[in-house]
Amino acid sequence: MSEFTTRWQLRLLAAQHDLVEACGGIARVMEKTGYSKGQVGRWNGGLDRDLMSLSVVLTLEEDCGRPFVTAVMAEFHGRYLTDATDGGSRVAHLEEQVAGLVEQAGKLVVETVKARADGIVTSNEATILRAISSKIAGLTASIDDALAGVQAAGGLKVVGGA
């Protein structure tokens, strides 16, 4: 069993931030959940961050259709989420996902060089780097999920013959 470390807590908090963004931002999440701007702000970022309740996570993940927080919780337990109902549609976008991964990795390199240029990585710079890293993690998970679907189906026929 994994130990719930600061690393895992930070991953959950980053997933919450991504979830708030995917649901349309703080104002939209306030409308959807009925929570105050201050509370949603504490979920979304800042120094004093709170973890969302499970009911809020479920509501928001259903709203945006993406299991940001649930995926991190599953990974904590050594599990990964798959979508049995996608019928292989994610595999059709594999090249796009890989291109997106390369693009985000390039951004991470550029922003890291910028952040380290003065020899100090500020909190704001770390926030930018973590946001890009989080996007990379999401893309990697999507690619892994698509490839797991290919394996489960016994392969992928890319070119059809007549």
Side-chain angles (χ1 to χ4, degrees):
M1 180 175 181
S2 298
E3 180 182 347
F4 189 75
T5 60
T6 302
R7 175 181 170 265
W8 283 106
Q9 182 169 3
L10 290 174
R11 288 196 60 203
L12 282 172
L13 293 170
Q16 285 183 178
H17 170 77
D18 293 343
L19 183 57
V20 169
E21 294 302 311
C23 288
I26 291 175
R28 174 85 179 15
V29 170
M30 287 170 52
E31 291 173 15
K32 191 73 183 165
T33 64
Y35 282 90
S36 70
K37 182 176 183 179
Q39 182 59 58
V40 176
R42 285 190 298 277
W43 294 335
N44 192 44
L47 297 175
D48 298 320
R49 297 174 77 178
D50 294 339
L51 289 173
M52 293 176 176
S53 68
L54 288 177
S55 61
V56 170
V57 169
L58 293 172
T59 299
L60 295 178
E61 287 183 343
E62 180 181 31
D63 182 63
C64 73
R66 297 175 65 193
F68 290 99
V69 176
T70 302
V72 173
M73 291 190 298
E75 189 178 341
F76 175 78
H77 291 289
R79 305 285 191 263
Y80 296 91
L81 302 179
T82 59
D83 188 355
T85 62
D86 78 357
S89 65
R90 285 189 231 185
V91 174
H93 303 291
L94 188 57
E95 288 180 8
E96 291 175 27
Q97 293 170 330
V98 171
L101 179 64
V102 171
E103 177 186 2
Q104 291 302 317
K107 285 182 182 180
L108 184 61
V109 170
V110 168
E111 292 301 323
T112 300
V113 169
K114 286 181 186 178
R116 293 205 18 120
D118 61 358
I120 300 169
V121 177
T122 66
S123 178
N124 287 340
E125 290 167 334
T127 299
I128 291 168
L129 294 173
R130 287 190 63 229
I132 297 168
S133 177
S134 180
K135 288 179 185 177
I136 290 171
L139 286 166
T140 302
S142 294
I143 292 168
D144 287 345
D145 192 27
L147 294 173
V150 170
Q151 285 179 313
L156 173 67
K157 187 174 185 178
V158 179
V159 179

